[in-house]
Amino acid sequence: MEGINLNLKEISLDPDDWNKYREFAHKAVDLVFDHQMKIAEKKVWQEIPENSKNTFLEQLPKNEMPLEDIYSTFKDDILPYTLGNIHPSFFGWVVGQGSPIQIISSILQAGINTPGGMFEQIPNYIEIQVIDWMKKLFNFGESSSGLLVNGGSMANYVALSVARYEKTTFDVLQKGFQTSDQFYTIYCSSETHLSVYKATEQLGFGRDAIRKIKVNEQFELDVDDLRSQIKSDIDQGYKPICIVANVGTVNTAAIDDVDAIADICRENNMWMHVDGAFGALLILSEKHRDRVSSIDKADSLAFDFHKWMHINYSAACVLIKDEQSHRNTFSSTADYVSKLGRGVLPVGLKMFPNYGMELSREFNALKIWMSIKENGTLKFGRLIDQNIEQAQYLGKIITDHESLELLAPISMQIVCFRYHGKLSDEEKINRLNQEILLQIQEKGMAVPSSTIISGKYAIRVNITNHRTKRIHLDRLIKNIIDIANELGQN
Ligand SMILES: Cc1ncc(COP(=O)(O)O)c(C=O)c1O
């Protein structure tokens, strides 16, 4: 024992007074439940005061701080100044709301704090069950596999990694691109989400590999253009390997012709990936599921639980039709994770790190599993139908209004429109709509986002919100007209 100080007091992060922490936990639960219950009465978003921003410029703390102080910083400087996405009038991008059961599941998850998707432990079996449910929901078959990831971006990345492994002709894991003199090409519509481009860049294909195919009037990939681009690329010596079909584009929620794309993939021995970040969940709707039933023709699918299934941030899934390709792409091994045959690492154990990049992951399956158990798939489907009907309702108000103009067909739950009043100058209309949008956000009335549709600035309302009622849409339109009037543009 020489050199070891046995008199040193041993410490841990556990509190001396557990009950004090328990009481704080109760207080914190009350705080966030009140916050959610009363959210509709609050501003959707508000500007952050300088002193709140300054709170987060302090130096790295060396010493302990009382729990009371940390808690009040949360209450005063964090809670009021979040994005506002849990509000019924939040319509920006495709951001989800979560639901109250997620407060409970987050506490339970934090309480057991176990790594997800590995080791012989029930959390692993919950993840297996969630993935199995999703495989069945999308009719991916017994020999498929899946992985829970943080978002659609990572789901797209994992899927395209498997596509690269399967469809390139060099040894991607051993030699990388070092030995390849082949130029591979990847196809998607010009409306495709940036995460697909990012994945293509990071996987070493490079931006030049992406062929952005033009879209038709419905903003769906133009299949004839796709065919001729592939033919022209083959004629020039390129090797087409993958098509990404959109099931719900981020701008307008357009759904590409999945059947036609599947045929083209089969004819050319290409990988078919579906980016169904939110749209794939149309499968839960009794009314609209036929629109996405061909997703099972894809080799891979990416979708988000945190969008149209209202799971708290963040939770997404990637499904791969052939489990073997999925495993082959990601299962590097090392002595310290090899199976011991029994105990915590028994033979036959499913280890999800063999299906993606991350070794340590949260036990996210719990919140997904709890919410699915709480609601059942039918309720999620009814909420999707409700949002689609609300989008149609909003569309009707817009088309009936002489000063408003719809800028894209309403495919699902996204409505892109603008105020034009009596203006005809396109530049002025663009500037006016941007000003209206900013005022709506800054006054805390609602948070729509914006996009450009055929060169026109659009106010974009996405309704993947289980809290939204028609009255919130009525209010939004009234606010837009009022602001336009105040700006003297009626
Ligand atoms: C169509 C589409 N694909 C991919 C993504 C990326 O998903 P995430 O933000 O969960 O990474 C989004 C996000 O909005 C999306 O709308």
Side-chain angles (χ1 to χ4, degrees), residues 94 151-154 156 193 195 248-250 275 277-278 304 306-307:
V94 193
S153 305
M154 184 48 92
N156 282 331
H193 191 264
S195 58
T249 56
V250 63
D275 179 1
F278 57 90
D304 279 320
H306 57 222
K307 291 193 164 83

Side-chain angles (χ1 to χ4, degrees), residues 7-186:
N7 294 323
L8 204 65
K9 187 171 180 288
E10 290 172 308
I11 59 167
S12 93
L13 295 179
D14 286 338
D16 293 331
D17 184 355
W18 278 89
N19 276 334
K20 183 176 161 197
Y21 272 69
R22 190 192 296 268
E23 276 162 27
F24 254 109
H26 286 291
K27 230 161 86 170
V29 166
D30 285 340
L31 180 73
V32 288
F33 265 94
D34 284 344
H35 179 66
Q36 287 212 358
M37 274 170 65
K38 295 181 187 145
I39 194 70
E41 299 160 23
K42 300 184 184 182
K43 285 187 170 189
V44 184
W45 178 86
Q46 54 186 323
E47 237 169 274
I48 311 171
E50 279 309 304
N51 62 331
S52 287
K53 281 189 190 167
N54 291 341
T55 309
F56 303 99
L57 294 176
E58 65 173 340
Q59 297 299 312
L60 179 66
K62 274 200 176 138
N63 298 313
E64 297 169 29
M65 191 181 198
L67 193 50
E68 290 80 356
D69 293 355
I70 302 168
Y71 180 78
S72 52
T73 302
F74 176 80
K75 209 157 143 286
D76 300 337
D77 297 311
I78 300 176
L79 187 72
Y81 307 112
T82 54
L83 177 62
N85 54 299
I86 67 172
H87 194 285
S89 289
F90 189 92
F91 309 119
W93 306 277
V94 193
V95 182
Q97 282 64 53
S99 72
I101 194 170
Q102 310 280 316
I103 301 174
I104 303 167
S105 54
S106 303
I107 294 171
L108 299 178
Q109 184 185 341
I112 55 176
N113 184 33
T114 188
M118 53 182 168
F119 303 120
E120 176 69 357
Q121 56 164 342
I122 283 296
N124 201 11
Y125 289 91
I126 296 177
E127 186 149 347
I128 292 169
Q129 171 156 69
V130 169
I131 293 293
D132 278 348
W133 281 343
M134 294 305 114
K135 282 161 53 173
K136 289 205 174 72
L137 181 68
F138 288 103
N139 193 29
F140 255 50
E142 278 300 308
S143 51
S144 63
S145 56
L147 179 74
L148 298 181
V149 288
N150 268 330
S153 305
M154 184 48 92
N156 282 331
Y157 178 87
V158 170
L160 293 179
S161 304
V162 186
R164 183 183 64 169
Y165 178 86
E166 276 301 313
K167 296 297 180 187
T168 53
T169 48
F170 61 97
D171 185 346
V172 62
L173 299 188
Q174 189 65 39
K175 311 252 188 220
F177 269 109
Q178 312 293 2
T179 54
S180 174
D181 51 11
Q182 184 72 67
F183 199 97
Y184 299 97
T185 47
I186 292 170

Side-chain angles (χ1 to χ4, degrees), residues 372-408:
I372 293 176
K373 295 278 284 181
E374 183 204 17
N375 297 301
T377 54
L378 291 177
K379 192 161 180 185
F380 288 123
R382 284 210 309 275
L383 285 167
I384 287 172
D385 294 346
Q386 178 172 300
N387 285 161
I388 292 174
E389 272 160 29
Q390 288 165 337
Q392 281 158 1
Y393 173 80
L394 180 62
K396 175 95 175 69
I397 297 177
I398 291 162
T399 44
D400 286 352
H401 200 292
E402 56 176 8
S403 295
L404 299 172
E405 178 189 5
L406 212 51
L407 292 181

